[in-house]
Amino acid sequence: MSYSAYVDLDRTDLFRLRHVGERPILSLGGLGEFDEFGIYPVSVIRNGTEVRAYYAGWTRCESVPFNVAIGMATSCDGGETFSKLGKGPVLSYSPDEPFVLSGPKIRCFNDTWYLWYIAGRKWKMVDGRAEPVYKIRMASSSDGIHWKKLNRESNREPDRGR
């Protein structure tokens, strides 16, 4: 099982701790939920008065060690506490991306949300253990919740406009 916590560092002196989180950012999901066994890489962004956290939630599997999808949680107290959007992910597996969607990185440019992530394309046996092979992918959204996968590898950021 894995949990995510945080430390707040001073931007002018990265060796100076401003605050250390006292508990995990989010609780693990319930029985059978996509984040039942772990929550890790978290990418946060401000959206008006709320802070959104996009995270990878993982669950155990039988034939391979895990599967991962991307969830979202929001905070209305500046990032001190978060509430999950729901019991399921905002970005999940598909025929083109059959497993392991992880490592979310969220950005918003010109009122369009962009989510970069890694997607498992296949499993390889390495020294008797199943290891995923990843591709970096990208999705876009008008609200940061409902995503359109671009179904191709992403090599650059979108045009930032002005």
Side-chain angles (χ1 to χ4, degrees), residues 44-59:
V44 297
I45 188 169
R46 290 197 183 277
N47 182 43
T49 60
E50 74 178 7
V51 178
R52 290 184 177 185
Y54 292 81
Y55 66 95
W58 68 272
T59 190

Side-chain angles (χ1 to χ4, degrees), residues 14-87:
L14 296 179
F15 291 100
R16 186 173 158 258
L17 288 173
R18 293 170 40 127
H19 183 75
V20 177
E22 296 177 18
R23 60 186 179 281
I25 296 168
L26 294 166
S27 61
L28 297 180
L31 182 65
E33 293 174 13
F34 81 103
D35 53 1
E36 178 180 3
F37 292 99
I39 292 174
Y40 65 112
V42 176
S43 181
V44 297
I45 188 169
R46 290 197 183 277
N47 182 43
T49 60
E50 74 178 7
V51 178
R52 290 184 177 185
Y54 292 81
Y55 66 95
W58 68 272
T59 190
R60 294 180 185 161
C61 298
E62 184 74 25
S63 62
V64 294
F66 56 87
N67 209 345
V68 187
I70 297 172
M72 189 190 91
T74 58
S75 171
C76 294
D77 59 9
E80 285 293 317
T81 60
F82 285 87
S83 298
K84 294 179 186 179
L85 181 66
K87 294 183 179 194

Side-chain angles (χ1 to χ4, degrees), residues 69-148:
I70 297 172
M72 189 190 91
T74 58
S75 171
C76 294
D77 59 9
E80 285 293 317
T81 60
F82 285 87
S83 298
K84 294 179 186 179
L85 181 66
K87 294 183 179 194
V90 292
L91 197 67
S92 192
Y93 333 115
S94 65
D96 191 45
E97 298 170 354
F99 44 78
V100 186
L101 274 62
S102 186
K105 187 68 172 173
I106 188 73
R107 293 288 184 262
C108 189
F109 303 113
N110 299 324
D111 296 323
T112 300
W113 294 78
Y114 295 91
L115 183 63
W116 287 267
Y117 59 97
I118 57 174
R121 301 297 295 226
K122 64 181 177 179
W123 288 93
K124 286 177 62 173
M125 293 304 289
V126 177
D127 296 328
R129 293 180 39 164
E131 297 286 342
V133 175
Y134 299 109
K135 292 284 187 175
I136 298 173
R137 305 288 279 203
M138 187 171 79
S140 65
S141 171
S142 61
D143 62 6
I145 298 170
H146 304 93
W147 294 94
K148 178 182 175 199

